[in-house]
Amino acid sequence: MKIVVVTGSPHRDGTSALLADRFIEGAKEAGHDTFRFDSAFEDTHPCLGCDQCGMNGPCVHKDAIEQKLIERLVDCDMIVLVTPLYYFGFSAQIKTVIDRFYSRTGAIHHKKSVLLATAWNNDDWTMTALSAHYNRLCRYMQWQNMGSILATGCGTRSMIERSDFPLKAYELGKSV
């Protein structure tokens, strides 16, 4: 299976980066082909809503999303979204990528998907808005949700390293 992992954290060695690393490790061990796009470290631009793409063609932006990512999304079997929680939603970096799905909406329907997310807070409501957004995205894009790891109470690298969330990400990567 071809898997595209899109990360959205501006911290190279942060909590969500660890989940991405472990998921990819498990997926590779299971024989899957993975591609990682770290949106915070790429030249990306938000959708202008200009509709030049017609929802099925090239974007007017010739940035990393258009040059490196979009065709891989079209060709993949699974999309993994990895984000730290920012005010109860996706980070701006990954949200920019999600908004740019518009240029190939039909071509990236019917994929499998996974959500990996981290948050400092560990209240039972911490991830409800993010989960709702992700579930609606899956419904709209007709993606098959293969699972989520919602790592609450993991505000620092040392906190998540002491948790079982990295192992869960690894196991999810092996099982998809």
Side-chain angles (χ1 to χ4, degrees):
M1 176 175 0
K2 292 180 184 177
I3 302 173
V4 173
V5 177
V6 181
T7 70
S9 176
H11 302 280
R12 287 193 191 277
D13 294 319
T15 57
S16 63
L18 178 58
L19 292 185
D21 292 342
R22 295 305 311 270
F23 179 90
I24 291 168
E25 181 183 342
K28 284 183 175 181
E29 283 187 23
H32 301 300
D33 177 29
T34 64
F35 172 76
R36 181 175 180 155
F37 186 84
D38 294 308
S39 62
F41 306 106
E42 295 285 354
D43 176 33
T44 64
H45 302 284
C47 179
L48 297 173
C50 67
D51 207 30
Q52 290 294 309
C53 64
M55 295 179 74
N56 190 29
C59 180
V60 297
H61 293 302
K62 302 304 175 209
D63 62 357
I65 296 171
E66 185 66 24
Q67 302 294 325
K68 297 179 182 180
L69 180 61
I70 286 293
E71 289 307 315
R72 287 185 182 264
L73 290 171
V74 169
D75 293 336
C76 78
D77 303 298
M78 175 181 280
I79 298 170
V80 180
L81 301 175
V82 187
T83 186
L85 190 69
Y86 275 50
Y87 288 91
F88 309 101
F90 288 102
S91 71
Q93 293 85 351
I94 202 166
K95 182 68 169 70
T96 298
V97 172
I98 292 168
D99 289 349
R100 293 279 300 283
F101 289 173
Y102 181 81
S103 71
R104 301 295 197 299
T105 298
I108 57 176
H109 269 60
H110 305 290
K111 307 286 183 181
K112 294 178 181 180
S113 68
V114 165
L115 172 65
L116 306 175
T118 59
W120 185 279
N121 194 347
N122 63 358
D123 292 327
D124 62 351
W125 52 266
T126 299
M127 295 285 197
T128 56
L130 176 66
S131 294
H133 186 170
Y134 172 70
N135 289 330
R136 282 173 182 79
L137 179 64
C138 288
R139 184 175 178 182
Y140 176 72
M141 298 300 289
Q142 299 173 11
W143 290 349
Q144 180 185 0
N145 182 358
M146 300 301 291
S148 297
I149 296 180
L150 306 176
T152 57
C154 294
T156 66
R157 181 76 179 215
S158 62
M159 290 168 80
I160 197 167
E161 287 172 343
R162 290 191 307 267
S163 77
D164 63 348
F165 293 116
L167 177 60
K168 288 179 179 181
Y170 170 81
E171 290 171 347
L172 183 57
K174 279 194 76 118
S175 69
V176 293

